[in-house]
Amino acid sequence: MSRAIEFLVGLLFGWGLLLSGMTDPGKVQGFLDVAGAWDPSLAFVMGGAIAVGFFAFALARKRTRTLLGGALQLPTARDIDKPLVVGSLIFGAGWGLAGFCPGPGLVAMAAGNGKALVFVAAMVVGMLGFELLDRFSRRGPRPAAS
Amino acid sequence: MTIDWTHFTPWASLAGGVLLGVAAAVFILANGRVLGISGILGGLLSPKPGDAGWRIAFLLGMAAAPVTFGLLAPAGFLPAPRIEAGLGAVIAAGLLVGFGTRYGSGCTSGHGVCGLSRLSPRSLVATAAFMGAGFLTVYLLRHA
């Protein structure tokens, strides 16, 4: 039952990315190019998504169980720390460089785009690199408690 | 700044954005999870028992999007994607996006769409950081 919903949500999300233009790196870079010929379309994507999401998450905050009775897991992390900022800056640099972020990269790959396939392969390597560093740093000597 | 009227698609982008919002809404209210692509994919790389099925189902849904969209939309509705970056830049971009989204705990969907919808200060900072870095990178690529 739930697997079908997850498949359909993935499908809907993919349609949203295609319809919005997010799967066209030129469009993304056009939005990021404020000093050149600026394409404001991406602001409409975010606006449309947040207009719906705002009400959904407001409702989710009032609940502890999902509509299907499962656990509702909202993020609990609150600290604005170095990994959040540095990681996001690194992501943004890559996003600007090729115009792909993770979702659109995957959808463009599924559409048969060769460069998107290369992008996704490199993205998975980058994610694995993070996993390795993360595990290594956790196994290393723990700093003394202060 | 000049506006690129040729490529500006306010209505399609708004409608696409609404679909993204509906997907995120169904995901949190029916499945109880924040919809973030980097997290969904990244979670498959250090699998926990019983945690892979829903991730794979979601990604298969995404993979089915282009062909089904092509069947539903009028022919030629989607222009061919414009990819300026060369192969080396695409590889570098993938490495940066993969590492950065995991280190920063999210991407355009998790922090951008869901985080901003939740009014999360963490996601607001993350979104400002990746947008800022994106603006700077494209500026350096095209105008420096």
Side-chain angles (χ1 to χ4, degrees), chain A residues 15 18-19, chain B residues 12 66-80:
Chain A
W15 284 350
L18 288 160
L19 180 58
Chain B
V67 63
T68 46
F69 189 90
L71 293 173
L72 294 170
F77 179 80
L78 285 183

Side-chain angles (χ1 to χ4, degrees), chain A residues 7 10 17 29 31-32 38 41 49 53 86 105 116 131 136:
Chain A
F7 179 88
L17 291 175
Q29 287 181 320
F31 174 75
L32 295 173
W38 189 51
S41 304
V86 175
E131 290 292 331
F136 179 77

Side-chain angles (χ1 to χ4, degrees), chain A residues 135-142:
Chain A
R135 275 179 216 180
F136 179 77
S137 65
R138 278 184 202 177
R139 269 185 209 154
R142 286 175 163 273

Side-chain angles (χ1 to χ4, degrees), chain B residues 4 8 16 20 31 33 35 37-38 48-49 73 78 88 92 108 125 130:
Chain B
D4 178 5
F8 183 43
L20 300 177
N31 278 340
R33 297 184 190 93
L35 198 168
I37 306 300
S38 56
K48 296 179 186 73
L78 285 183
T108 16
V125 169
F130 69 66

Side-chain angles (χ1 to χ4, degrees), chain A residues 6-7 11 15 20 24 26-27 32-34 36 38-39 41 45 49 66-67 73 79 87-89 92 101 115 123 135, chain B residues 1-2 4 7 9 13 17 29 31-32 46 54 57 61 68 82 85 94 98 100 102 108 122 130 133 135 142-143:
Chain A
E6 282 136 7
F7 179 88
L11 184 68
W15 284 350
S20 65
D24 177 5
K27 197 157 189 66
L32 295 173
D33 190 8
V34 282
W38 189 51
D39 176 357
S41 304
V45 183
T66 67
L67 300 174
Q73 303 157 32
D79 38 332
S88 298
L89 288 172
C101 54
K115 274 188 179 167
M123 178 171 79
R135 275 179 216 180
Chain B
M1 181 201 294
T2 51
D4 178 5
H7 296 107
T9 55
S13 288
L29 292 171
N31 278 340
S46 55
W54 70 272
T68 46
R82 295 164 282 150
R102 294 305 281 158
T108 16
R122 237 175 93 79
F130 69 66
F135 285 131
R142 293 188 175 176
H143 305 290

